[in-house]
Amino acid sequence: MKILHTADWHIGKKLKGIPRIQEFTEVLQEIVRIAATENVDCIIVAGDIFDTYTPSADAVELFNKTIIQIRKNDIELVLIAGNHDSPKMLQANSPILKELGVHIIANINAFEELDHNIIRINKNNEKLHIAAIPWVNESTITRVSANRMNQTEQQAGALYSELLSGIYHDLTEALDDDAIKILSSHVLINEAKIREANKQEDISERRISLDKVAYGIQSSQLPKQLNYVALGHIHQPQEIIHDCPVHYAGSILQLSFAEAEQEKYVNIIDCSTTTLAKIKKIPLKSGKRLKEIKGQYNEVIEIAKQHIDKFIKITITDEQPPKDYRTIIEKKLPNVIDIRVENTKIKEIKSRNKISKQLSDTQLYEEYLNERTQSTNKKKKEKIELFRQLLAEAIQDEAN
C-alpha cells in the first residue's frame, strides 16, 4: 500500500500581511498531482490544515476544492487537527466530510474512549490501521492531574510526556497484527531540529515551554511496533531516529523567514505487513521562495537585485544607514518585504530592553524619570511615591 504523508498546510497564512492564497492553490494542486502520479492509496495530513481557528472564505473554499479533487481520484484522506486548527470547526464539518469519505480526527475524547482515534481502511486486499492523535494542548494537564496546582513546570512537562506516551502505546496495541500500522500525530518530538525564532520573527511551529521546559515527548517514548510514524508540527522536514521510521513531513511552503531556503517535500511510503517501509521524498516546487540577506547597505542591495523572484528580508549593518534607506529600498525592490537595521546602537537598545524586562514597574518609572526629566531629587521621590500609590490602587481595583 502507498501512503502520501504531508502536514502543516496552514492554508490562508499571510506573510507580512501579503496574501498567499494563489501559492497555496498551486502547491495543493501539485500535491494532488503527485498523489495521482504515484498512485497512492491514502493521504495523511498530520495537522495544521488551516492557519487560524477562523480561516477566511478563500482558505475554506480552497480546502474544499482540494479534498474533492483527492476523493475524485479514489484516494483515502485522513485529516487530524493541529494547534492552529479549531477542533470545534472541524468537528462541525465532520458529517459533511464523512459523506465525502474523508476520515477526520479533531479530538481525543477526554482520553477515555480512544477507539474513535483508530482509522481502519481496507483496500487492495490489505488492511491499513492508523492511530491518529491530534494536537494535545498543554492545558490538558489541568484536566487529568488533581495536583496540578502544586506541580513544578518540570513535573508538568514530564506528566505531559507520560500522558502522550500512554495514549500512543494504548492505541498502537489496539491495532490489528495483520494490518499495516501507522501512528500519526501533531506533536513536538523533543529531539526535533527547530530554528528558534527571535521575538521579531514570524514562526508558526511552537516549542511550548515554561521555565525552559518543553511540552513534548522524547523519541524513546514512541511505540516501536509500527510501519511508519507520520508527524506534523515542525516545519523543517526531517527524520527522527527511532526503531521504526519516524518523519516530520514539514510545511508545504516556506511560511516565514525562519524557513528561508528550506526545501519542502511530501513523503511517499510504500509498505506492507511483511516488508520494511520504503520512503521516497518528493520535492515541492510551487510557491515563492524566501531569502534573508544581511550586510552593508550597498552589498545587500546588489545581492537582492539577483533574487527578484523571491520574498526578501534585509538586515542592514551600517552604523549610519543612508537617509531614507527604507523608502529607497521599497521603491527599487518591491519584493523586499522586511527591512531591519542591526548595528551597535540597535544592539545597545536591545540590551537595555532586555535589562528593563527584569525591572519592576516602579524601577522602570524611576529609570524614565532619570533619563527624560530634569526634576530635583526631592521631586523625583515625590513622583515615585505617587506612582507607587497609584499602582497599588490599580492592582487593588483589578483584584476587586
Side-chain angles (χ1 to χ4, degrees), residues 248-270:
Y248 281 104
S251 53
I252 57 176
L253 293 174
Q254 293 175 1
L255 296 174
S256 76
F257 283 105
E259 300 175 43
E261 301 187 51
Q262 275 183 15
E263 291 300 322
K264 300 300 179 181
Y265 301 90
V266 294
N267 286 358
I268 304 295
I269 305 97
D270 195 342

Side-chain angles (χ1 to χ4, degrees), residues 291-307 312-318 321-322 325 329 332-333 336 342:
K291 186 171 183 62
E292 290 184 281
I293 307 171
K294 183 176 181 179
Q296 296 286 303
Y297 176 79
N298 290 330
E299 177 189 358
V300 296
I301 293 300
E302 288 307 310
I303 295 172
K305 287 178 181 177
Q306 301 169 29
H307 298 279
I312 296 177
K313 172 185 174 181
I314 280 179
T315 303
I316 300 167
T317 58
D318 301 57
Y325 67 90
I329 293 172
K332 284 185 178 180
L333 298 163
V336 175
E342 188 175 295

Side-chain angles (χ1 to χ4, degrees), residues 74-104:
D74 193 30
I75 298 171
E76 300 287 337
L77 179 59
V78 175
L79 306 173
I80 69 171
N83 55 300
H84 282 252
D85 298 313
S86 165
K88 289 182 179 179
M89 189 197 84
L90 293 178
Q91 200 66 44
N93 290 321
S94 181
I96 299 171
L97 292 171
K98 286 179 179 177
E99 283 295 315
L100 292 169
V102 177
H103 309 274
I104 184 161

